[in-house]
Coordinates of all heavy atoms in Angstrom, one line a residue:
F549 N 0.8 -1.2 0.0 CA 0.0 0.0 0.0 C 0.9 1.3 0.0 O 0.4 2.3 -0.5 CB -1.0 0.0 1.2 CG -0.4 0.5 2.5 CD1 -0.6 1.8 2.9 CD2 0.3 -0.4 3.3 CE1 -0.2 2.3 4.1 CE2 0.8 0.1 4.5 CZ 0.6 1.4 4.9
I550 N 2.1 1.1 0.5 CA 3.0 2.3 0.5 C 3.3 2.7 -1.0 O 3.2 3.9 -1.3 CB 4.3 2.0 1.2 CG1 4.0 1.8 2.8 CG2 5.3 3.1 1.1 CD1 5.2 1.3 3.6
G551 N 3.7 1.7 -1.8 CA 3.9 2.0 -3.2 C 2.7 2.5 -3.9 O 2.8 3.4 -4.7
R552 N 1.5 1.9 -3.6 CA 0.3 2.3 -4.2 C -0.1 3.8 -3.9 O -0.7 4.5 -4.7 CB -0.8 1.4 -3.9 CG -0.7 0.0 -4.5 CD -1.7 -1.0 -4.0 NE -1.4 -2.3 -4.4 CZ -1.9 -3.4 -3.9 NH1 -2.8 -3.3 -2.9 NH2 -1.6 -4.6 -4.4
L553 N 0.2 4.2 -2.7 CA 0.0 5.6 -2.3 C 1.0 6.5 -2.8 O 0.8 7.8 -2.8 CB -0.1 5.7 -0.8 CG -1.3 5.1 -0.1 CD1 -1.2 5.1 1.4 CD2 -2.6 5.9 -0.5
S554 N 2.2 6.0 -3.3 CA 3.3 6.9 -3.7 C 3.4 6.7 -5.2 O 2.5 7.1 -5.9 CB 4.5 6.4 -2.9 OG 5.6 7.3 -3.3
A555 N 4.5 6.3 -5.7 CA 4.8 6.2 -7.1 C 5.0 4.9 -7.6 O 5.7 4.7 -8.7 CB 6.0 7.1 -7.4
G556 N 4.4 3.9 -6.9 CA 4.5 2.5 -7.4 C 5.9 1.8 -7.2 O 6.3 0.9 -7.9
E557 N 6.6 2.3 -6.2 CA 8.0 1.8 -5.9 C 8.0 0.3 -5.6 O 7.1 -0.2 -5.0 CB 8.7 2.5 -4.8 CG 8.9 4.0 -5.0 CD 7.7 4.9 -4.6 OE1 6.6 4.3 -4.3 OE2 7.9 6.1 -4.5
E558 N 9.1 -0.4 -6.0 CA 9.3 -1.8 -5.6 C 9.5 -1.8 -4.1 O 9.9 -0.9 -3.5 CB 10.5 -2.3 -6.4 CG 10.2 -2.5 -7.8 CD 9.0 -3.4 -8.1 OE1 9.0 -4.6 -7.6 OE2 8.1 -3.0 -8.9
P559 N 9.3 -3.0 -3.5 CA 9.4 -3.2 -2.0 C 10.7 -2.6 -1.4 O 10.6 -1.8 -0.4 CB 9.4 -4.7 -1.8 CG 8.5 -5.2 -2.9 CD 8.9 -4.3 -4.1
K560 N 11.8 -2.8 -2.0 CA 13.1 -2.3 -1.3 C 13.3 -0.8 -1.5 O 14.2 -0.2 -0.9 CB 14.3 -3.1 -1.9 CG 14.3 -4.6 -1.4 CD 15.5 -5.3 -1.9 CE 15.4 -6.8 -1.5 NZ 16.6 -7.6 -1.9
D561 N 12.4 -0.2 -2.3 CA 12.4 1.2 -2.4 C 11.4 2.0 -1.7 O 11.0 3.2 -1.9 CB 12.3 1.6 -3.9 CG 13.5 1.1 -4.7 OD1 14.7 1.2 -4.2 OD2 13.3 0.7 -5.9
R562 N 10.8 1.3 -0.7 CA 9.7 1.9 0.1 C 10.2 2.3 1.6 O 9.4 2.3 2.5 CB 8.5 0.9 0.2 CG 7.9 0.6 -1.2 CD 6.9 -0.5 -1.0 NE 6.4 -1.0 -2.4 CZ 5.9 -2.1 -2.6 NH1 5.6 -3.0 -1.6 NH2 5.5 -2.5 -3.8
V563 N 11.4 2.5 1.7 CA 11.9 2.8 3.0 C 11.4 4.1 3.6 O 11.0 4.1 4.8 CB 13.5 2.9 3.0 CG1 14.0 3.2 4.4 CG2 14.1 1.6 2.5
A564 N 11.3 5.1 2.8 CA 10.8 6.4 3.3 C 9.3 6.3 3.8 O 9.0 6.8 4.9 CB 10.9 7.5 2.3
G565 N 8.5 5.6 3.0 CA 7.2 5.4 3.4 C 7.0 4.6 4.7 O 6.2 4.8 5.6
S566 N 7.9 3.6 4.8 CA 7.9 2.7 6.0 C 8.3 3.5 7.2 O 7.7 3.3 8.3 CB 8.9 1.5 5.8 OG 8.6 0.8 4.6
L567 N 9.3 4.4 7.1 CA 9.7 5.2 8.2 C 8.6 6.2 8.6 O 8.4 6.5 9.8 CB 10.9 6.0 7.9 CG 12.2 5.1 7.7 CD1 13.4 6.0 7.3 CD2 12.5 4.4 9.0
A568 N 7.8 6.7 7.7 CA 6.7 7.6 8.0 C 5.7 6.9 8.8 O 5.2 7.4 9.8 CB 6.1 8.2 6.7
C569 N 5.4 5.7 8.5 CA 4.4 4.9 9.2 C 5.0 4.6 10.6 O 4.2 4.6 11.6 CB 4.1 3.6 8.5 SG 3.2 3.8 7.0
A570 N 6.2 4.2 10.7 CA 6.8 3.8 12.0 C 6.8 5.1 13.0 O 6.5 4.9 14.2 CB 8.3 3.3 11.8
L571 N 7.2 6.2 12.4 CA 7.3 7.4 13.3 C 5.8 7.8 13.8 O 5.7 8.2 14.9 CB 7.9 8.6 12.6 CG 9.4 8.4 12.4 CD1 9.9 9.5 11.4 CD2 10.2 8.5 13.7
D572 N 4.9 7.6 12.9 CA 3.5 7.9 13.3 C 3.1 6.9 14.4 O 2.4 7.3 15.4 CB 2.6 7.8 12.1 CG 1.1 8.1 12.5 OD1 0.9 9.3 12.8 OD2 0.3 7.2 12.5
G573 N 3.4 5.7 14.3 CA 3.1 4.7 15.3 C 3.8 5.0 16.6 O 3.3 4.9 17.7

């Protein structure tokens, strides 16, 4: 869902979106 909300990045290129979710948590 991170890629779908962004620019369709492959899994290993979703670090920034993963960090955004982690910091919110």
